[in-house]
Amino acid sequence: MEDLIKEYALGYAMLRDAIEGLTEEELRYKPAPDKWSIHQILIHVTDSEISSTSRLKKVLAEDEPLLISFDQDAWANNLGYDLMDREQYLLLFKLLRSSMQTILDNLTSEQSERVGVYVDQKRFTFKQLTEFRVEHVRDHLDQIERVKKAYQENQLTY
Ligand code: NI
């Protein structure tokens, strides 16, 4: 759990590093019409964090709470991600993660085994849900690297 908490706390810095020095054009570049730009990825990562931070807290505070996931494509398609203020969302991500820090610093092993249940009856422990958060950022960091590479390759063809 300790390593997990460390990586969880580094999420914001890792996202920042990934977009360091990128131009607005690069941040808005879509590798394909149905693929997200880095800007859209960052808004998605924060929206996902909004919904998952409340799940993490529910699991710690309530007795086997019902967990509800969010429809990521519906959010991305219907909330105008392109218009959203990326810096504001990055700041929100940072605050959501850091607002969990005190809880994580004081987490007992019993707490990390507390359970939440999804509508489909799948059960996850707090530790597993925290793992998903860390993996979510890792996956999207990989995706950001792929978009950066696609952008650079696209530049070479002109
Ligand atoms: Ni995602």
Side-chain angles (χ1 to χ4, degrees):
M1 192 76 208
E2 226 169 277
D3 288 345
L4 210 55
I5 292 172
K6 257 183 223 154
E7 190 171 341
Y8 179 91
L10 285 173
Y12 172 74
M14 293 193 295
L15 288 169
R16 271 275 163 221
D17 282 353
I19 59 164
E20 169 84 39
L22 300 189
T23 63
E24 194 60 29
E25 187 184 279
E26 205 165 353
L27 289 161
R28 298 279 177 172
Y29 174 74
K30 284 159 73 89
D34 60 339
K35 293 262 165 42
W36 285 345
S37 65
I38 294 172
H39 171 92
Q40 290 169 322
I41 294 168
L42 293 169
I43 306 292
H44 158 75
V45 166
T46 301
D47 268 351
S48 168
E49 208 66 20
I50 292 171
S51 111
S52 64
T53 306
S54 102
R55 286 198 292 270
L56 290 176
K57 288 173 132 176
K58 273 180 97 71
V59 169
L60 288 182
E62 302 173 21
D63 195 24
E64 301 206 355
L66 179 67
L67 303 179
I68 296 167
S69 45
F70 83 119
D71 182 340
Q72 57 173 25
D73 292 321
W75 283 45
N77 293 333
N78 299 321
L79 294 176
Y81 275 17
D82 281 336
L83 301 173
M84 285 175 171
D85 182 335
R86 188 173 61 246
E87 283 303 316
Q88 192 183 46
Y89 270 72
L90 279 165
L91 184 61
L92 181 54
F93 178 91
K94 182 185 183 185
L95 288 172
L96 285 165
R97 287 263 166 131
S98 62
S99 70
M100 286 298 291
Q101 200 55 48
T102 308
I103 290 174
L104 293 172
D105 287 344
N106 292 288
L107 197 74
T108 65
S109 47
E110 287 90 326
Q111 280 179 310
S112 68
E113 296 305 320
R114 289 182 66 86
V115 166
V117 188
Y118 276 93
V119 187
D120 62 4
Q121 297 302 316
K122 284 209 180 82
R123 299 163 64 83
F124 294 100
T125 64
F126 180 84
K127 185 177 178 187
Q128 287 173 312
L129 294 169
T130 309
E131 256 160 21
F132 294 154
R133 300 325 305 154
V134 166
E135 281 163 14
H136 190 243
V137 167
R138 256 190 231 164
D139 290 347
H140 284 294
L141 285 168
D142 289 346
Q143 187 188 11
I144 287 171
E145 290 312 311
R146 288 197 300 276
V147 178
K148 279 156 79 170
K149 204 165 162 245
Y151 175 82
Q152 280 151 16
E153 279 164 5
N154 190 259
Q155 295 304 100
L156 294 175
T157 59
Y158 290 106

